Amino acid sequence: MRKLLVLMMGMLCLGLNAQTISDVLRYSLEGTQGTARFQAMGGAFGALGGDLSSLNVNPAGSSVFNYSQFTVSGANYNRNNTARYGNSTLTTQSNSPQINQVGGVFVFKSSNSPWKKIALALNYDMVENFDNEFVASGISGDGIDTYFLNFAQGVELGPLRVQTDTGERIDDAYLNIGEDPSLGFGAQQAFLGFQAGVIDPIDIDDNLNTEYFSLASGDNLLQDFRQSTTGYNSKFSANLSGQYQENLHFGASLNFHSILYERLTQFTESGYGPDSEVQFTTFDNLLLTQGDGFSFSLGAIARVNDNIRIGGSYQSPTWYRLTDEISQRIRTDADAANPNLNFIDFNLINVFPTYRIKTPGKISGSAAIIFGKEGLLSFDYGYQDFSEAQLRPTTDANFAAENDVISNQLGAVNSYRFGGEYRIERVSLRGGYRIEESPYENTNLIGDLEGFSAGIGYDFGGSRLDVAYSRTEQDVNEFFFDAGADNAALVNRVNSNIVLSYTLKF
């Protein structure tokens, strides 16, 4: 009964704002997922079409199909993360099997109309798989006290005390602070640091005190950090495309997005000095984000001649509506630590008000050379200005400040994709390469992404079986906390996928 009551109280916490630039990037970046053929050729399908996942690049591609067909794809996602922090390097690996694509296209041909073909397509793609994990460990001089002090300075001491005279408990106080619009998430963090004995006020007897100092001292702190994430960003597309005369294809798609993201971070710190009142601290955070979004896309493909095709497309911004839930727990061994802290755990849920994210739109240009039935080469270029991303409503002062950070720190991203296919009777050999620039102006925060891929397919006539392997690599600074402290590990991400697709023609 107690857990249910606490959960209901947590759902009232509407005075919170903790969304940052990292949330915007998480849902703005999309990987090259989809069918095995699409992935094997690096996603360079803007001028080709004829693949259900190509609709993510250019919606005109469905009318390139000559037959109606259905495709289903399954993938195994392998994550290899090497984290460098302080004086050590740790590598973590994980695997995640998923059904990552399901879709079908219906092609209607006409012999007495300038519209030679009309195609209707429905397709589901997992555009980002969030299943991942990394571990970092090392020596640092920047302790967890910095996190709590940054939130505490300027916050009055009075609200950080448990009001025992009114029968308030420590878990009630934590939730009440989060519910108060004048306090919110930042004051909650100050409350945790104070109640756990990590920080203390300059004047413990003055409820109006707004200055704090650290009780956890040390220059060579041993820190361990683990981050585990699960979930997905998926897209369901309803597509209409038509072939006009012999050489032109036009198409449009309505895209419906769904997000489920869960992140667990576990931070442990020890190695304090002998005079420190704190000798051991653990601080864990659990974030759950759910929501949906909408976007649309427009595109065209032109056959210049029998050998050359060009394509162009516009992908609108995606407008997401999201809800965050955050749970926390902290434990220390300090004498000042409150044993009642055990009541603050993952059963206490802070539910943030619904907020919106607008991701930047994207324009793409493509070209392909077709060598009859022997094979092809293709190239895609994409442009996306991440400084135009926004947290909404923009009238929210916290969001307005974070949007200034976004516009100053993020910039334009150019992406390049190359793909090729060589056919030997019923067998198709494929390869691809892609590079995507960092969304940050300062590429030390996130580096450029580079990847290559290869695959093979066999056409049985009425059906086709394709397999692909793709690998990407990117260096990313993974911050331990979204705000309040700058502790970060440099993580080398190597993501590799093995994808199997089965296509049935009808």
Side-chain angles (χ1 to χ4, degrees):
M1 181 64 183
R2 178 64 188 166
K3 290 184 178 181
L4 178 60
L5 178 60
V6 168
L7 176 62
M8 293 175 65
M9 292 176 63
M11 293 178 67
L12 299 177
C13 294
L14 301 179
L16 303 171
N17 278 300
Q19 292 76 31
T20 66
I21 187 173
S22 61
D23 298 287
V24 173
L25 278 179
R26 183 182 308 122
Y27 308 124
S28 297
L29 296 170
E30 296 185 355
T32 301
Q33 310 294 341
T35 67
R37 183 172 183 241
F38 183 80
Q39 292 197 46
M41 294 174 57
F45 269 82
L48 293 174
D51 186 281
L52 282 161
S53 292
S54 73
L55 306 185
N56 294 322
V57 181
N58 191 335
S62 60
S63 58
V64 175
F65 285 102
N66 288 318
Y67 306 98
S68 301
Q69 65 181 50
F70 169 83
T71 301
V72 59
S73 304
N76 181 73
Y77 298 86
N78 177 268
R79 314 296 197 192
N80 187 304
N81 294 308
T82 300
R84 295 187 292 276
Y85 182 68
N87 59 342
S88 69
T89 300
L90 293 175
T91 298
T92 308
Q93 292 192 39
S94 61
N95 288 281
S96 173
Q98 301 282 346
I99 299 295
N100 68 298
Q101 180 274 328
V102 180
V105 59
F106 302 90
V107 179
F108 304 93
K109 297 180 180 180
S110 174
S111 58
N112 54 5
S113 168
W115 291 96
K116 301 298 182 180
K117 280 187 290 185
I118 297 293
L120 300 173
L122 299 174
N123 188 59
Y124 164 88
D125 257 322
M126 180 183 290
V127 297
E128 196 63 57
N129 177 15
F130 293 131
D131 293 357
N132 207 350
E133 181 178 32
F134 80 90
V135 178
S137 179
I139 302 296
S140 174
D142 297 322
I144 189 65
D145 58 333
T146 302
Y147 173 86
F148 295 113
L149 285 172
N150 283 339
F151 283 109
Q153 304 297 2
V155 177
E156 291 186 1
L157 173 61
L160 304 188
R161 299 185 189 272
V162 179
Q163 309 302 313
T164 55
D165 56 330
T166 63
E168 186 179 57
R169 295 166 47 129
I170 191 170
D171 48 349
D172 299 327
Y174 172 78
L175 291 174
N176 290 338
I177 290 171
E179 186 180 13
D180 189 335
S182 66
L183 297 171
F185 180 79
Q188 272 187 326
Q189 307 315 292
F191 173 84
L192 291 176
F194 170 59
Q195 293 293 332
V198 178
I199 62 173
D200 229 14
I202 296 294
D203 188 348
I204 191 68
D205 297 318
D206 183 8
N207 281 341
L208 298 180
N209 174 88
T210 57
E211 295 184 54
Y212 299 81
F213 66 96
S214 172
L215 295 173
S217 59
D219 297 324
N220 296 293
L221 303 172
L222 176 59
Q223 298 174 341
D224 295 287
F225 180 82
R226 177 183 295 270
Q227 176 175 290
S228 302
T229 59
T230 60
Y232 56 83
N233 182 354
S234 66
K235 179 194 295 185
F236 177 80
S237 299
N239 168 267
L240 173 65
S241 176
Q243 177 185 334
Y244 184 77
Q245 300 289 4
E246 299 298 329
N247 300 320
L248 295 175
H249 299 261
F250 301 97
S253 292
L254 301 179
N255 307 306
F256 305 90
H257 304 253
S258 180
I259 282 179
L260 175 64
Y261 177 76
E262 185 172 271
R263 181 185 67 200
L264 171 64
T265 61
Q266 299 169 290
F267 179 87
T268 301
E269 184 175 86
S270 60
Y272 299 99
D275 297 330
S276 175
E277 295 189 32
V278 177
Q279 291 296 318
F280 185 82
T281 304
T282 63
F283 184 43
D284 303 332
N285 289 265
L286 179 63
L287 166 68
L288 174 64
T289 300
Q290 300 180 82
D292 51 46
F294 172 78
S295 67
F296 66 89
S297 53
L298 305 170
I301 296 174
R303 298 184 181 185
V304 178
N305 53 45
D306 291 342
N307 302 106
I308 297 176
R309 297 180 188 178
I310 57 174
S313 64
Y314 169 74
Q315 299 175 47
S316 78
T318 301
W319 296 274
Y320 287 110
R321 289 179 57 87
L322 303 170
T323 300
D324 286 354
E325 299 178 5
I326 290 181
S327 304
Q328 300 179 292
R329 62 189 176 200
I330 185 171
R331 305 289 183 264
T332 72
D333 65 340
D335 292 337
N338 190 336
N340 290 326
L341 276 175
N342 290 324
F343 287 105
I344 297 179
D345 58 22
F346 287 165
N347 291 313
L348 293 179
I349 303 175
N350 295 302
V351 178
F352 289 65
T354 298
Y355 63 100
R356 303 191 301 277
I357 288 178
K358 188 199 81 170
T359 70
K362 183 177 182 179
I363 57 174
S364 299
S366 313
I369 302 175
I370 312 298
F371 303 103
K373 295 183 178 181
E374 284 72 37
L376 58 88
L377 293 173
S378 62
F379 166 74
D380 283 9
Y381 166 76
Y383 176 88
Q384 196 170 17
D385 188 353
F386 280 82
S387 67
E388 296 179 352
Q390 286 184 333
L391 283 161
R392 294 181 171 183
T394 56
T395 53
D396 185 295
N398 293 318
F399 287 169
E402 196 64 22
N403 286 335
D404 288 339
V405 174
I406 291 171
S407 62
N408 290 330
Q409 293 193 11
L410 302 184
V413 170
N414 298 289
S415 60
Y416 309 89
R417 299 180 179 184
F418 303 86
E421 182 177 59
Y422 180 65
R423 302 187 188 102
I424 308 171
E425 296 182 350
R426 292 181 178 270
V427 177
S428 297
L429 305 177
R430 306 176 181 119
Y433 172 80
R434 71 184 181 109
I435 186 168
E436 186 174 295
E437 295 176 348
S438 168
Y440 275 97
E441 295 285 359
N442 178 5
T443 57
N444 289 326
L445 294 173
I446 294 181
D448 295 342
L449 181 145
E450 187 175 15
F452 66 85
S453 54
I456 187 171
Y458 188 85
D459 192 334
F460 296 93
S463 62
R464 193 178 73 240
L465 190 66
D466 301 295
V467 64
Y469 170 82
S470 65
R471 180 187 187 276
T472 62
E473 184 171 0
Q474 186 177 36
D475 289 332
V476 177
N477 269 289
E478 290 278 8
F479 288 87
F480 295 173
F481 309 101
D482 286 335
D486 294 330
N487 305 67
L490 179 61
V491 180
N492 175 251
R493 294 179 180 173
V494 177
N495 297 336
S496 56
N497 305 338
I498 296 177
V499 189
L500 181 67
S501 296
Y502 177 73
T503 298
L504 178 66
K505 304 174 186 178
F506 57 92

Short mmCIF file of all heavy atoms in Angstrom, two decimals, residues 382-426:
data_model
loop_
_atom_site.label_atom_id
_atom_site.label_comp_id
_atom_site.label_asym_id
_atom_site.label_seq_id
_atom_site.Cartn_x
_atom_site.Cartn_y
_atom_site.Cartn_z
N GLY A 382 23.28 14.20 -47.60
CA GLY A 382 22.24 14.75 -46.73
C GLY A 382 22.74 15.96 -45.97
O GLY A 382 23.92 16.05 -45.61
N TYR A 383 21.83 16.91 -45.72
CA TYR A 383 22.16 18.13 -44.96
C TYR A 383 21.10 18.32 -43.90
O TYR A 383 19.89 18.31 -44.18
CB TYR A 383 22.21 19.34 -45.89
CG TYR A 383 22.46 20.65 -45.16
CD1 TYR A 383 23.77 21.08 -44.91
CD2 TYR A 383 21.40 21.43 -44.72
CE1 TYR A 383 24.00 22.27 -44.24
CE2 TYR A 383 21.62 22.62 -44.04
CZ TYR A 383 22.92 23.04 -43.80
OH TYR A 383 23.14 24.21 -43.13
N GLN A 384 21.56 18.54 -42.66
CA GLN A 384 20.65 18.72 -41.54
C GLN A 384 21.28 19.70 -40.56
O GLN A 384 22.41 19.48 -40.09
CB GLN A 384 20.39 17.37 -40.87
CG GLN A 384 19.21 17.31 -39.94
CD GLN A 384 18.90 15.88 -39.51
OE1 GLN A 384 19.73 14.98 -39.65
NE2 GLN A 384 17.71 15.66 -38.99
N ASP A 385 20.58 20.77 -40.21
CA ASP A 385 21.12 21.79 -39.32
C ASP A 385 20.57 21.57 -37.91
O ASP A 385 19.43 21.92 -37.60
CB ASP A 385 20.74 23.18 -39.82
CG ASP A 385 21.44 24.29 -39.03
OD1 ASP A 385 22.11 23.96 -38.03
OD2 ASP A 385 21.30 25.46 -39.40
N PHE A 386 21.39 21.00 -37.04
CA PHE A 386 20.94 20.64 -35.70
C PHE A 386 20.79 21.85 -34.79
O PHE A 386 20.17 21.74 -33.73
CB PHE A 386 21.91 19.62 -35.09
CG PHE A 386 21.66 18.23 -35.56
CD1 PHE A 386 22.18 17.79 -36.76
CD2 PHE A 386 20.90 17.35 -34.82
CE1 PHE A 386 21.96 16.51 -37.22
CE2 PHE A 386 20.65 16.06 -35.26
CZ PHE A 386 21.18 15.63 -36.46
N SER A 387 21.33 23.00 -35.18
CA SER A 387 21.13 24.20 -34.36
C SER A 387 19.67 24.65 -34.39
O SER A 387 19.26 25.49 -33.57
CB SER A 387 22.03 25.33 -34.84
OG SER A 387 21.66 25.78 -36.14
N GLU A 388 18.87 24.11 -35.31
CA GLU A 388 17.46 24.48 -35.41
C GLU A 388 16.57 23.60 -34.53
O GLU A 388 15.36 23.82 -34.46
CB GLU A 388 17.00 24.38 -36.86
CG GLU A 388 17.71 25.36 -37.79
CD GLU A 388 17.24 25.24 -39.22
OE1 GLU A 388 16.48 24.28 -39.51
OE2 GLU A 388 17.63 26.08 -40.05
N ALA A 389 17.13 22.60 -33.87
CA ALA A 389 16.34 21.76 -32.97
C ALA A 389 15.87 22.59 -31.78
O ALA A 389 16.52 23.55 -31.37
CB ALA A 389 17.16 20.57 -32.52
N GLN A 390 14.74 22.18 -31.20
CA GLN A 390 14.18 22.96 -30.10
C GLN A 390 13.50 22.06 -29.07
O GLN A 390 12.90 21.04 -29.40
CB GLN A 390 13.14 23.95 -30.61
CG GLN A 390 13.68 25.16 -31.33
CD GLN A 390 12.56 26.12 -31.70
OE1 GLN A 390 11.41 25.74 -31.90
NE2 GLN A 390 12.91 27.40 -31.79
N LEU A 391 13.61 22.50 -27.82
CA LEU A 391 12.73 22.03 -26.75
C LEU A 391 11.55 22.98 -26.67
O LEU A 391 11.72 24.21 -26.76
CB LEU A 391 13.47 22.02 -25.42
CG LEU A 391 14.46 20.87 -25.17
CD1 LEU A 391 15.43 21.24 -24.06
CD2 LEU A 391 13.71 19.59 -24.81
N ARG A 392 10.36 22.43 -26.50
CA ARG A 392 9.16 23.26 -26.47
C ARG A 392 8.29 22.88 -25.27
O ARG A 392 8.33 21.74 -24.83
CB ARG A 392 8.37 23.10 -27.78
CG ARG A 392 9.13 23.65 -28.99
CD ARG A 392 8.29 23.50 -30.25
NE ARG A 392 8.91 24.21 -31.38
CZ ARG A 392 8.36 24.29 -32.58
NH1 ARG A 392 7.20 23.70 -32.82
NH2 ARG A 392 8.96 24.94 -33.55
N PRO A 393 7.52 23.84 -24.72
CA PRO A 393 7.24 25.17 -25.25
C PRO A 393 8.40 26.13 -25.04
O PRO A 393 9.05 26.14 -24.00
CB PRO A 393 6.02 25.62 -24.43
CG PRO A 393 6.12 24.85 -23.15
CD PRO A 393 6.73 23.54 -23.50
N THR A 394 8.66 26.95 -26.05
CA THR A 394 9.78 27.89 -26.00
C THR A 394 9.52 29.02 -25.01
O THR A 394 10.45 29.76 -24.67
CB THR A 394 10.04 28.48 -27.40
OG1 THR A 394 8.83 29.09 -27.89
CG2 THR A 394 10.48 27.39 -28.36
N THR A 395 8.26 29.16 -24.55
CA THR A 395 7.96 30.18 -23.55
C THR A 395 8.47 29.77 -22.17
O THR A 395 8.55 30.62 -21.27
CB THR A 395 6.45 30.44 -23.48
OG1 THR A 395 5.77 29.17 -23.30
CG2 THR A 395 5.95 31.07 -24.78
N ASP A 396 8.78 28.49 -21.98
CA ASP A 396 9.36 28.03 -20.72
C ASP A 396 10.78 28.58 -20.61
O ASP A 396 11.61 28.40 -21.50
CB ASP A 396 9.37 26.50 -20.69
CG ASP A 396 9.86 25.95 -19.37
OD1 ASP A 396 11.05 26.17 -19.04
OD2 ASP A 396 9.08 25.28 -18.67
N ALA A 397 11.08 29.27 -19.50
CA ALA A 397 12.37 29.93 -19.34
C ALA A 397 13.52 28.93 -19.39
O ALA A 397 14.58 29.21 -19.97
CB ALA A 397 12.40 30.72 -18.04
N ASN A 398 13.34 27.76 -18.77
CA ASN A 398 14.39 26.74 -18.78
C ASN A 398 14.64 26.22 -20.18
O ASN A 398 15.79 26.01 -20.59
CB ASN A 398 14.03 25.60 -17.84
CG ASN A 398 14.02 26.03 -16.38
OD1 ASN A 398 14.89 26.75 -15.94
ND2 ASN A 398 13.01 25.59 -15.65
N PHE A 399 13.55 25.99 -20.92
CA PHE A 399 13.70 25.51 -22.30
C PHE A 399 14.33 26.57 -23.18
O PHE A 399 15.15 26.26 -24.06
CB PHE A 399 12.34 25.10 -22.86
CG PHE A 399 11.81 23.81 -22.30
CD1 PHE A 399 10.51 23.41 -22.54
CD2 PHE A 399 12.62 22.97 -21.54
CE1 PHE A 399 10.01 22.22 -22.03
CE2 PHE A 399 12.14 21.78 -21.02
CZ PHE A 399 10.83 21.41 -21.27
N ALA A 400 13.96 27.83 -22.97
CA ALA A 400 14.53 28.92 -23.76
C ALA A 400 16.04 28.99 -23.55
O ALA A 400 16.81 29.17 -24.51
CB ALA A 400 13.86 30.24 -23.39
N ALA A 401 16.47 28.82 -22.30
CA ALA A 401 17.91 28.84 -22.01
C ALA A 401 18.62 27.65 -22.65
O ALA A 401 19.71 27.80 -23.21
CB ALA A 401 18.13 28.84 -20.50
N GLU A 402 18.00 26.49 -22.60
CA GLU A 402 18.61 25.30 -23.20
C GLU A 402 18.62 25.40 -24.72
O GLU A 402 19.55 24.92 -25.38
CB GLU A 402 17.88 24.04 -22.76
CG GLU A 402 18.64 22.74 -22.99
CD GLU A 402 19.92 22.65 -22.18
OE1 GLU A 402 20.04 23.36 -21.15
OE2 GLU A 402 20.81 21.87 -22.58
N ASN A 403 17.60 26.04 -25.30
CA ASN A 403 17.58 26.24 -26.76
C ASN A 403 18.72 27.16 -27.20
O ASN A 403 19.24 27.01 -28.32
CB ASN A 403 16.23 26.80 -27.19
CG ASN A 403 15.13 25.75 -27.16
OD1 ASN A 403 15.41 24.55 -27.26
ND2 ASN A 403 13.89 26.18 -27.02
N ASP A 404 19.10 28.11 -26.33
CA ASP A 404 20.26 28.95 -26.64
C ASP A 404 21.53 28.10 -26.68
O ASP A 404 22.41 28.30 -27.54
CB ASP A 404 20.41 30.06 -25.61
CG ASP A 404 19.34 31.14 -25.75
OD1 ASP A 404 18.76 31.25 -26.85
OD2 ASP A 404 19.09 31.86 -24.76
N VAL A 405 21.62 27.14 -25.75
CA VAL A 405 22.76 26.22 -25.74
C VAL A 405 22.78 25.40 -27.02
O VAL A 405 23.84 25.22 -27.66
CB VAL A 405 22.70 25.29 -24.50
CG1 VAL A 405 23.81 24.23 -24.58
CG2 VAL A 405 22.81 26.10 -23.22
N ILE A 406 21.62 24.91 -27.43
CA ILE A 406 21.52 24.12 -28.66
C ILE A 406 21.97 24.92 -29.88
O ILE A 406 22.76 24.45 -30.70
CB ILE A 406 20.07 23.61 -28.84
CG1 ILE A 406 19.74 22.56 -27.77
CG2 ILE A 406 19.87 23.02 -30.24
CD1 ILE A 406 18.28 22.18 -27.72
N SER A 407 21.48 26.14 -30.01
CA SER A 407 21.80 26.94 -31.19
C SER A 407 23.27 27.35 -31.21
O SER A 407 23.85 27.55 -32.28
CB SER A 407 20.91 28.19 -31.24
OG SER A 407 21.13 29.01 -30.10
N ASN A 408 23.90 27.45 -30.01
CA ASN A 408 25.31 27.85 -29.95
C ASN A 408 26.26 26.67 -30.11
O ASN A 408 27.36 26.83 -30.67
CB ASN A 408 25.59 28.56 -28.63
CG ASN A 408 24.93 29.92 -28.53
OD1 ASN A 408 24.74 30.59 -29.54
ND2 ASN A 408 24.55 30.31 -27.32
N GLN A 409 25.88 25.50 -29.61
CA GLN A 409 26.81 24.36 -29.60
C GLN A 409 26.63 23.40 -30.78
O GLN A 409 27.57 22.71 -31.15
CB GLN A 409 26.66 23.58 -28.29
CG GLN A 409 27.10 24.35 -27.07
CD GLN A 409 27.24 23.46 -25.85
OE1 GLN A 409 27.19 22.23 -25.93
NE2 GLN A 409 27.39 24.08 -24.69
N LEU A 410 25.44 23.35 -31.36
CA LEU A 410 25.19 22.43 -32.46
C LEU A 410 25.27 23.16 -33.79
O LEU A 410 25.08 24.38 -33.86
CB LEU A 410 23.82 21.76 -32.31
CG LEU A 410 23.60 20.96 -31.02
CD1 LEU A 410 22.24 20.26 -31.06
CD2 LEU A 410 24.71 19.95 -30.79
N GLY A 411 25.52 22.41 -34.84
CA GLY A 411 25.64 23.02 -36.16
C GLY A 411 25.14 22.11 -37.26
O GLY A 411 24.45 21.11 -37.01
N ALA A 412 25.52 22.44 -38.48
CA ALA A 412 25.07 21.68 -39.65
C ALA A 412 25.83 20.37 -39.74
O ALA A 412 27.03 20.29 -39.45
CB ALA A 412 25.27 22.49 -40.91
N VAL A 413 25.11 19.33 -40.16
CA VAL A 413 25.69 18.00 -40.34
C VAL A 413 25.57 17.61 -41.80
O VAL A 413 24.46 17.59 -42.37
CB VAL A 413 24.99 16.95 -39.46
CG1 VAL A 413 25.43 15.54 -39.84
CG2 VAL A 413 25.29 17.22 -37.99
N ASN A 414 26.70 17.31 -42.42
CA ASN A 414 26.71 16.76 -43.77
C ASN A 414 26.95 15.27 -43.69
O ASN A 414 27.84 14.81 -42.95
CB ASN A 414 27.82 17.41 -44.60
CG ASN A 414 27.63 18.91 -44.76
OD1 ASN A 414 26.73 19.35 -45.47
ND2 ASN A 414 28.45 19.70 -44.08
N SER A 415 26.17 14.51 -44.42
CA SER A 415 26.34 13.06 -44.43
C SER A 415 26.53 12.58 -45.87
O SER A 415 25.93 13.13 -46.81
CB SER A 415 25.14 12.35 -43.79
OG SER A 415 23.94 12.64 -44.49
N TYR A 416 27.35 11.55 -46.02
CA TYR A 416 27.68 11.01 -47.34
C TYR A 416 27.55 9.49 -47.29
O TYR A 416 28.10 8.84 -46.39
CB TYR A 416 29.11 11.39 -47.74
CG TYR A 416 29.41 12.86 -47.60
CD1 TYR A 416 29.88 13.37 -46.38
CD2 TYR A 416 29.22 13.74 -48.66
CE1 TYR A 416 30.17 14.71 -46.24
CE2 TYR A 416 29.49 15.10 -48.52
CZ TYR A 416 29.97 15.58 -47.30
OH TYR A 416 30.24 16.92 -47.16
N ARG A 417 26.83 8.94 -48.26
CA ARG A 417 26.63 7.49 -48.31
C ARG A 417 26.95 6.98 -49.71
O ARG A 417 26.52 7.58 -50.72
CB ARG A 417 25.19 7.12 -47.95
CG ARG A 417 24.77 7.55 -46.54
CD ARG A 417 23.33 7.16 -46.25
NE ARG A 417 22.94 7.54 -44.91
CZ ARG A 417 21.75 7.24 -44.36
NH1 ARG A 417 20.86 6.57 -45.08
NH2 ARG A 417 21.48 7.61 -43.13
N PHE A 418 27.67 5.89 -49.76
CA PHE A 418 28.04 5.27 -51.03
C PHE A 418 27.61 3.80 -50.98
O PHE A 418 27.77 3.13 -49.95
CB PHE A 418 29.55 5.34 -51.26
CG PHE A 418 30.12 6.74 -51.24
CD1 PHE A 418 30.49 7.33 -50.03
CD2 PHE A 418 30.26 7.45 -52.41
CE1 PHE A 418 31.01 8.61 -50.01
CE2 PHE A 418 30.79 8.74 -52.39
CZ PHE A 418 31.17 9.32 -51.18
N GLY A 419 27.08 3.32 -52.10
CA GLY A 419 26.68 1.92 -52.16
C GLY A 419 26.91 1.32 -53.53
O GLY A 419 26.93 2.05 -54.54
N GLY A 420 27.09 0.03 -53.57
CA GLY A 420 27.27 -0.66 -54.84
C GLY A 420 26.71 -2.07 -54.78
O GLY A 420 26.62 -2.68 -53.71
N GLU A 421 26.31 -2.56 -55.94
CA GLU A 421 25.77 -3.92 -56.04
C GLU A 421 26.25 -4.54 -57.35
O GLU A 421 26.21 -3.90 -58.41
CB GLU A 421 24.24 -3.89 -55.98
CG GLU A 421 23.59 -5.26 -56.03
CD GLU A 421 22.08 -5.18 -55.88
OE1 GLU A 421 21.44 -4.51 -56.74
OE2 GLU A 421 21.54 -5.75 -54.92
N TYR A 422 26.68 -5.79 -57.28
CA TYR A 422 27.12 -6.53 -58.46
C TYR A 422 26.38 -7.86 -58.50
O TYR A 422 26.37 -8.60 -57.52
CB TYR A 422 28.64 -6.78 -58.41
CG TYR A 422 29.16 -7.53 -59.61
CD1 TYR A 422 29.12 -6.99 -60.88
CD2 TYR A 422 29.69 -8.82 -59.45
CE1 TYR A 422 29.60 -7.69 -61.98
CE2 TYR A 422 30.18 -9.53 -60.54
CZ TYR A 422 30.13 -8.96 -61.81
OH TYR A 422 30.59 -9.66 -62.89
N ARG A 423 25.74 -8.12 -59.65
CA ARG A 423 24.89 -9.30 -59.76
C ARG A 423 25.55 -10.36 -60.63
O ARG A 423 26.06 -10.08 -61.71
CB ARG A 423 23.53 -8.93 -60.36
CG ARG A 423 22.78 -7.88 -59.55
CD ARG A 423 21.38 -7.67 -60.08
NE ARG A 423 20.73 -6.54 -59.43
CZ ARG A 423 20.58 -5.34 -59.95
NH1 ARG A 423 21.06 -5.11 -61.18
NH2 ARG A 423 19.99 -4.37 -59.29
N ILE A 424 25.53 -11.58 -60.13
CA ILE A 424 25.99 -12.75 -60.88
C ILE A 424 24.82 -13.71 -60.94
O ILE A 424 24.57 -14.47 -60.00
CB ILE A 424 27.20 -13.41 -60.19
CG1 ILE A 424 28.31 -12.38 -59.92
CG2 ILE A 424 27.74 -14.55 -61.02
CD1 ILE A 424 29.43 -12.91 -59.08
N GLU A 425 24.08 -13.63 -62.05
CA GLU A 425 22.85 -14.39 -62.21
C GLU A 425 21.91 -14.10 -61.03
O GLU A 425 21.46 -12.98 -60.88
CB GLU A 425 23.16 -15.88 -62.36
CG GLU A 425 23.97 -16.18 -63.62
CD GLU A 425 24.24 -17.66 -63.83
OE1 GLU A 425 23.98 -18.45 -62.89
OE2 GLU A 425 24.73 -18.02 -64.91
N ARG A 426 21.64 -15.08 -60.16
CA ARG A 426 20.68 -14.87 -59.07
C ARG A 426 21.32 -14.33 -57.79
O ARG A 426 20.65 -14.03 -56.82
CB ARG A 426 19.95 -16.17 -58.74
CG ARG A 426 19.02 -16.65 -59.86
CD ARG A 426 18.31 -17.93 -59.45
NE ARG A 426 17.38 -18.38 -60.47
CZ ARG A 426 16.11 -18.02 -60.53
NH1 ARG A 426 15.61 -17.20 -59.62
NH2 ARG A 426 15.32 -18.47 -61.48
#
